Amino acid sequence: SIGIYSKTGAVLSRVTFNSLFDGTGTPCDAQNMGDPVVLYDDSADRWIITDFAWATTRGPFYECIAVSKTADPISGGWWFYALQTSTNQLNDYPKLGVWPDGIYMSSNMFTRAKSYAGVKVWALNRADMISGAAMRNVAFTLGTSYFTLYPSTVTSVFTVPAGTPNYFLS
C-alpha cells in the first residue's frame, strides 16, 4: 500500500497498488507484487512510484510505473506505464534514479523467477513520462558478473554538466 502524509504526520491518502494503477491492460492493473520504489523528481516537480507485477511466475514480467501529472500526488492525477521487462525473467529488486536526461533503472533478472540471469539496466525517457507520452526506453543486459546495481540520482540543488552520463554503483 501507499500512504501519503503531511509534514505533521496527518494521513492525507492511503491506496493499494492494485487500486492506484489503471488502464495499462497488463498485470500492473491488478496483480502488483512488491518491491516498491518512490522517487521525487524535484526539477520536474513530479512523484514517481513503481513496483513489479506478473500474472504467473512464467511471465511476462512488468515494472509498473506511475508518474504524477502535477506536483500534487493526491488530486493531480497520474500517468501509468507498464514496462514489460522480460517475457520469461523476473525483474527482482528494481532500483531507479532520476537524472536530467532520463529515469534510469536496474533489476536483477531471474529466469522463471528462479535462476539468476544477470543485471539488466534501462534508460527511460523522462520527458515522455512527465508529459504522459508513450514511454520510450533503451535497455541492455550486463550478464551475471554484476548483482544489484544502483543508478545515481541528482537533485536540482546539484547541477550536472550537459552530457554527463548516469552512473551505476554495485
Side-chain angles (χ1 to χ4, degrees):
S1 295
I2 301 162
I4 300 174
Y5 298 84
S6 71
K7 289 183 180 183
T8 62
V11 176
L12 301 176
S13 177
R14 286 189 181 144
V15 64
T16 67
F17 281 92
N18 286 345
S19 63
L20 172 68
F21 283 92
D22 187 35
T24 68
T26 70
C28 289
D29 294 341
Q31 295 170 308
N32 292 273
M33 299 294 185
D35 280 3
V37 175
V38 176
L39 290 173
Y40 177 66
D41 181 343
D42 68 342
S43 61
D45 205 13
R46 299 289 189 275
W47 290 94
I48 302 164
I49 299 175
T50 70
D51 79 328
F52 54 32
W54 62 86
T56 75
T57 56
R58 289 192 290 268
F61 299 94
Y62 295 87
E63 187 68 15
C64 312
I65 305 169
V67 179
S68 65
K69 293 180 181 181
T70 70
D72 183 351
I74 298 169
S75 60
W78 294 89
W79 303 114
F80 298 110
Y81 298 95
L83 174 66
Q84 184 175 321
T85 57
S86 176
T87 57
N88 67 344
Q89 293 178 339
L90 168 66
N91 49 303
D92 192 29
Y93 206 57
K95 298 297 169 204
L96 286 91
V98 176
W99 206 246
D101 65 352
I103 306 295
Y104 290 82
M105 185 176 92
S106 67
S107 286
N108 296 325
M109 305 302 285
F110 289 87
T111 303
R112 300 287 184 226
K114 293 179 184 176
S115 303
Y116 182 62
V119 172
K120 189 171 182 178
V121 297
W122 290 262
L124 311 174
N125 188 297
R126 184 174 159 268
D128 291 348
M129 297 171 74
I130 63 175
S131 69
M135 181 180 57
R136 294 172 287 164
N137 71 88
V138 175
F140 55 93
T141 302
L142 296 176
T144 58
S145 297
Y146 298 96
F147 192 78
T148 309
L149 293 177
Y150 290 85
S152 53
T153 292
V154 68
T155 66
S156 62
V157 174
F158 301 101
T159 58
V160 176
T164 301
N166 184 273
Y167 297 95
F168 286 75
L169 303 173
S170 177

